[in-house]
């Protein structure tokens, strides 16, 4: 279903997306070699007919080249292709960046390969956005911030999301609304379902099972003979009814954001402005994940590569950057001395707890006992009004991008915080 049409229907129940990076290795090569864009690129094997194709660009696919194809076959089909051995450190670097973008939206991410990840983006009390809006934003950010494209499938289960992600490539978004799983899956050939290998496909086809609708109602004995102990799981997948959860690697224990600067910072005002910008990103991600933090930490790496860090307890816990900013000055004083040259800054929030109901009036601008930050001037005394301001700025950033609006001190240095950014959605 088109995104615009899907938005007209309220989402009910789980929302699982599968993000698949389009022709990932080849796309990275075309990103790093602009002169190769629009040309057939093959990664893996070599032009002397050794090895197999790891992946290829969409331009090469028009010649019939496919992943896992013998190199000599690919050479025959596309003699003018550009062959690349592969740069796996570079691929892992961009993969981590993409996973960080997904982590900005949800802590429930299951990376299944270097170029694929499931994510649970089910609406919650804290974040009520339609999942299709979230998926489209992730897709846009991958293209704009990483420079490559991805295709996304969105549905109520992992199997539906997986099948949907292959429906519209490259740079497609296929939305399967809850309740329409059988209608979507039924007519599709059984080969699209994960778990139906070559041997299973042959046996099922010989028995007259050709579509997922056929598989959903296939004879139990046939299913058992083909899939063994996985028979009922495969039937559930064919019906779009599998309830497997996102297998996150670990519980989310912290949210952090770091920036490495192209030019060192040595003025306190500039460092404070950069920290305020980073804090804003961390607080925004806390709100998206439905967490408040009890501990705030600052990290600095000097020009000589030495690293220092300090942390402070936050009372009460908060997801409000205007309140948390009160701790930045005292934390900076613990790790930095005037005129020291800073190459990297980081802000981490930990000691996380689930966001409580908002009917509690809190003294969000109580200052730490050992001093107050110059960046912490309370803009609005009423917590409800201040929450309204923060909610409004979040909405503006969701719609127009992260650079759409800044609070106070962050404006001073926003142009100097666009260096190499490493994001850690769940540092643990």
């Amino acid at each position: 279903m088109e995104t615009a049409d899907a938005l007209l229907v309220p989402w009910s129940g789980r929302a699982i997306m599968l993000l698949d990076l389009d022709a990932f290795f080849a796309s990275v090569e075309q990103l790093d070699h602009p002169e190769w864009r629009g040309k057939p690129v093959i990664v893996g094997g070599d032009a002397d007919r050794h090895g197999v194709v790891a992946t290829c660009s969409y331009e090469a696919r028009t010649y019939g080249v496919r992943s896992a194809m013998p190199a000599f076959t690919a050479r025959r089909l596309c003699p003018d292709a550009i062959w690349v051995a592969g740069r796996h450190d570079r691929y892992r670097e961009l993969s981590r960046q993409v996973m960080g973008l997904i982590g900005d939206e949800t802590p429930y991410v299951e990376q299944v390969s270097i170029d694929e990840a499931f994510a649970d983006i089910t609406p919650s009390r804290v974040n009520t956005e339609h999942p299709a809006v979230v998926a489209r934003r992730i897709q846009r950010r991958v293209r704009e911030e990483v420079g490559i494209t991805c295709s996304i499938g969105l549905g109520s289960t992992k199997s539906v999301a997986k099948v949907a992600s292959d429906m519209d490539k490259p740079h497609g978004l296929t939305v399967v609304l809850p309740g329409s799983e059988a209608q979507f899956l039924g007519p599709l050939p059984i080969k699209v379902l994960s778990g139906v290998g070559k041997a299973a496909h042959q046996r099922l086809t010989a028995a007259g099972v050709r579509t997922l609708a056929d598989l959903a109602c296939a004879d139990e004995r046939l299913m058992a003979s083909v899939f063994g102990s996985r028979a009922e799981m495969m039937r559930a997948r064919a019906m779009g009814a599998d309830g497997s959860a996102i297998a996150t690697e670990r519980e989310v224990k912290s949210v952090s954001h770091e920036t490495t600067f192209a030019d060192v910072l040595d003025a306190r005002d500039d460092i404070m402005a950069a920290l305020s910008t980073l804090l804003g990103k961390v607080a925004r991600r806390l709100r998206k994940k439905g967490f408040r933090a009890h501990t705030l930490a600052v990290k600095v790496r000097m020009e000589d590569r030495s690293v220092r860090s300090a942390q402070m307890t936050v009372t009460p816990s908060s997801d409000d950057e205007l309140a948390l900013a009160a701790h930045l000055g005292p934390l900076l004083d613990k790790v930095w001395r005037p005129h020291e040259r800073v190459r990297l800054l980081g802000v981490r929030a930990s000691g996380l707890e689930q966001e409580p109901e908002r009917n509690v009036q809190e003294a969000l601008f109580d200052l730490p006992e050992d001093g107050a930050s110059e960046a912490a001037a309370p803009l609005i005394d009423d917590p409800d009004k201040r929450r309204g301001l923060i909610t409004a700025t979040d909405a503006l950033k969701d719609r127009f991008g992260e650079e759409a609006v800044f609070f106070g001190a962050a404006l001073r240095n926003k142009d100097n915080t666009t260096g190499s950014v490493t994001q850690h959605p769940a540092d643990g």
Side-chain angles (χ1 to χ4, degrees):
M1 177 177 287
E2 294 293 331
T3 309
D5 296 332
L7 291 174
L8 298 176
V9 182
W11 194 277
S12 176
R14 287 205 313 165
I16 306 297
M17 61 165 259
L18 187 281
L19 181 148
D20 185 2
L21 294 170
D22 298 320
F24 180 43
F25 296 171
S27 295
V28 174
E29 296 301 335
Q30 290 178 320
L31 172 68
D32 291 347
H33 302 89
E35 68 276 14
W36 293 353
R37 294 173 186 172
K39 298 180 180 179
V41 175
I42 297 176
V43 180
D46 60 54
D48 294 326
R49 304 184 177 184
H50 299 294
V52 297
V53 173
T55 192
C56 61
S57 67
Y58 285 94
E59 293 83 2
R61 296 182 189 194
T62 63
Y63 291 86
V65 180
R66 294 292 183 268
S67 300
M69 175 180 286
F72 69 87
T73 304
R75 174 73 168 175
R76 175 175 54 81
L77 293 172
C78 189
D80 296 326
I82 299 166
W83 290 77
V84 183
R87 300 174 297 147
H88 292 281
D89 287 345
R90 175 63 170 156
Y91 306 150
R92 284 190 290 268
E93 175 189 355
L94 292 193
S95 175
R96 286 192 294 268
Q97 189 175 351
V98 171
M99 298 307 148
L101 295 181
I102 303 174
D104 285 347
E105 300 289 347
T106 174
Y108 307 110
V109 181
E110 178 184 347
Q111 184 172 359
V112 293
S113 67
I114 194 171
D115 60 351
E116 282 187 311
F118 287 106
D120 189 329
I121 53 174
T122 304
S124 65
R125 177 178 55 81
V126 175
N127 188 357
T128 60
E129 278 188 296
H130 196 290
V133 173
V134 177
R136 181 62 80 189
R137 180 166 61 245
I138 292 172
Q139 189 176 53
R140 185 190 71 241
R141 291 188 65 193
V142 170
R143 185 169 194 169
E144 294 177 355
E145 299 179 29
V146 184
I148 56 179
T149 64
C150 64
S151 297
I152 294 178
L154 177 62
S156 59
T157 70
K158 292 168 73 172
S159 61
V160 171
K162 172 62 176 173
V163 173
S165 70
D166 290 325
M167 291 292 103
D168 185 16
K169 284 180 166 290
H171 199 56
L173 171 59
T174 300
V175 181
V176 182
L177 292 170
S180 66
E181 295 86 359
Q183 179 182 357
F184 168 71
L185 293 172
L188 299 177
I190 56 175
K191 65 181 180 181
V192 305
L193 192 65
S194 178
V196 179
K198 184 178 180 180
H201 184 268
Q202 291 175 344
R203 293 186 62 186
L204 290 168
T205 301
V209 177
R210 294 179 171 82
T211 68
L212 294 183
D214 294 337
L215 188 61
C217 60
D219 180 77
E220 289 185 7
R221 288 174 296 178
L222 174 64
M223 293 290 287
S225 68
V226 174
F227 297 112
S229 62
R230 299 187 300 129
E232 288 309 308
M233 179 190 72
M234 294 303 297
R235 190 189 301 277
R237 285 184 179 180
M239 300 170 62
D242 62 304
S244 55
I246 297 297
T248 53
E249 293 184 359
R250 58 188 177 184
E251 179 185 0
V252 178
K253 296 182 180 180
S254 66
V255 175
S256 65
H257 207 108
E258 296 180 356
T259 295
T260 302
F261 301 98
D263 299 315
V264 295
L265 303 183
D266 59 6
R268 182 184 175 84
D269 287 347
D270 290 339
I271 295 172
M272 284 297 301
L275 288 173
S276 295
T277 299
L278 294 171
L279 177 62
K281 294 177 182 292
V282 168
R284 176 163 155 75
R285 287 163 63 187
L286 285 173
R287 292 190 292 273
K288 282 181 173 291
K289 299 172 191 294
F291 290 125
R292 298 168 72 104
H294 274 291
T295 304
L296 188 69
V298 165
K299 169 185 173 182
V300 299
R301 189 175 74 207
M302 306 302 176
E303 189 175 32
D304 63 4
R305 306 190 67 82
S306 62
V307 176
R308 302 173 196 157
S309 62
Q311 66 181 38
M312 183 177 292
T313 300
V314 176
T315 305
S317 61
S318 181
D319 63 358
D320 180 343
E321 60 263 46
L322 300 180
L324 293 170
H327 303 275
L328 290 179
L331 284 169
L332 179 61
D333 290 338
K334 293 181 178 182
V335 295
W336 177 82
R337 292 180 291 275
H339 308 303
E340 286 187 313
R341 295 162 65 84
V342 173
R343 179 63 71 181
L344 174 146
L345 288 170
V347 172
R348 185 182 76 251
S350 59
L352 305 184
E353 65 179 15
Q354 289 292 322
E355 173 67 30
E357 297 290 342
R358 295 209 177 274
N359 57 1
V360 178
Q361 299 295 309
E362 299 170 336
L364 291 179
F365 284 100
D366 288 345
L367 298 179
E369 294 180 0
D370 53 352
S373 165
E374 58 269 40
L379 301 180
I380 300 176
D381 291 330
D382 186 285
D384 291 333
K385 291 182 179 179
R386 187 166 60 251
R387 175 58 59 173
L389 171 64
I390 290 173
T391 301
T393 61
D394 282 346
L396 286 171
K397 290 180 178 182
D398 286 343
R399 183 170 182 181
F400 299 110
E402 296 299 318
E403 306 297 312
V405 61
F406 288 87
F407 287 119
L411 281 170
R412 174 185 177 91
N413 207 41
K414 76 180 186 71
D415 292 333
N416 201 18
T417 59
T418 56
S420 173
V421 178
T422 303
Q423 300 182 48
H424 304 280
D427 294 339

